[in-house]
Amino acid sequence: MRHRLRLIALIAVAAAGLAGLAAAQTAGKLGVINSQEILERSAEGKRVQAELQAAEKKHIDDLARLDDQIKQLQNRLSTQRLTLTVEAAAGLQADIQRKQTERQRAAEDAARAMRELQGRTMERIQNELIPLIEQARKDLGLELMFDLAKPGVVYFDPALDVTAEIIKRYDAMKAAPPAKK
């Protein structure tokens, strides 16, 4: 019973806090951006996408060259199998294995390099956009900014944060003596 009363009290406190937050949100103006659209339609976004695609194409071409080298070695082994000595065939098979290992490592390195390049590029663009978003928010009198492409809030007016109020009420609820039956 005591547990049930505490749960009801906690729900009531949370509901009161959420009602306060809802009232604060409805009183203010909300703004929405779409960072994916900014990346796709802005001149800088298009330039960056072309840069990333060029880097990816270079990696793909490098891997294709290694694939061709592996195929050539495999073709040589299959066409000359009957005329090669056992040692020569084993050496050629070892060369194929080394090239395959080299190709696997190159693919892993290329993937890592692309992730790092994308991360650095996106971080740079984000750092360039944040002041613009903040200025637009101020100019338009917005209190809350959401990004459609990502979960969460891009910016919020600290006056909307009711966390301290919820903490105060929760602490008060916990400090109050338990209700008697």
Side-chain angles (χ1 to χ4, degrees):
M1 183 70 176
R2 193 179 279 179
H3 177 67
R4 186 178 216 153
L5 288 174
R6 282 185 185 173
L7 181 61
I8 291 171
L10 179 61
I11 291 171
V13 169
L18 290 175
L21 178 60
Q25 286 180 347
T26 56
K29 289 173 65 179
L30 306 179
V32 176
I33 63 166
N34 185 335
S35 59
Q36 185 63 36
E37 186 175 343
I38 292 170
L39 184 63
E40 291 171 358
R41 294 184 52 199
S42 69
E44 179 65 8
K46 289 175 183 177
R47 187 190 69 73
V48 164
Q49 285 183 355
E51 191 177 284
L52 290 172
Q53 287 171 349
E56 184 177 34
K57 183 180 180 336
K58 180 192 175 299
H59 292 303
I60 289 170
D61 291 346
D62 291 345
L63 292 174
R65 273 191 292 284
L66 286 171
D67 287 339
D68 288 343
Q69 292 172 5
I70 291 168
K71 284 180 187 174
Q72 288 172 0
L73 289 169
Q74 289 171 334
N75 287 341
R76 197 166 112 201
L77 180 62
S78 66
T79 58
Q80 298 176 358
R81 184 170 294 269
L82 297 176
T83 60
L84 290 174
T85 65
V86 174
E87 294 82 20
L92 201 49
Q93 186 62 42
D95 289 344
I96 292 170
Q97 289 285 328
R98 277 192 289 278
K99 276 292 179 194
Q100 289 172 334
T101 301
E102 180 182 342
R103 195 247 186 244
Q104 182 179 353
R105 288 180 182 153
E108 291 167 357
D109 290 347
R112 183 175 44 257
M114 284 304 299
R115 280 192 308 272
E116 289 172 2
L117 179 60
Q118 287 171 337
R120 284 191 314 269
T121 303
M122 293 305 131
E123 183 179 352
R124 178 183 57 79
I125 289 174
Q126 182 178 2
N127 289 338
E128 292 170 353
L129 286 175
I130 287 174
L132 295 174
I133 292 168
E134 173 61 17
Q135 188 59 50
R137 184 204 62 81
K138 286 179 183 175
D139 294 347
L140 298 171
L142 303 174
E143 295 175 345
L144 214 55
M145 292 282 289
F146 291 95
D147 186 347
L148 295 175
K150 299 176 187 171
V153 175
V154 175
Y155 176 86
F156 72 94
D157 183 345
L160 297 175
D161 187 356
V162 295
T163 304
E165 179 65 22
I166 298 299
I167 292 170
K168 184 174 87 176
R169 291 178 185 199
Y170 185 56
D171 288 346
M173 180 190 79
K174 287 299 203 175
K180 294 188 179 186
K181 296 181 190 180

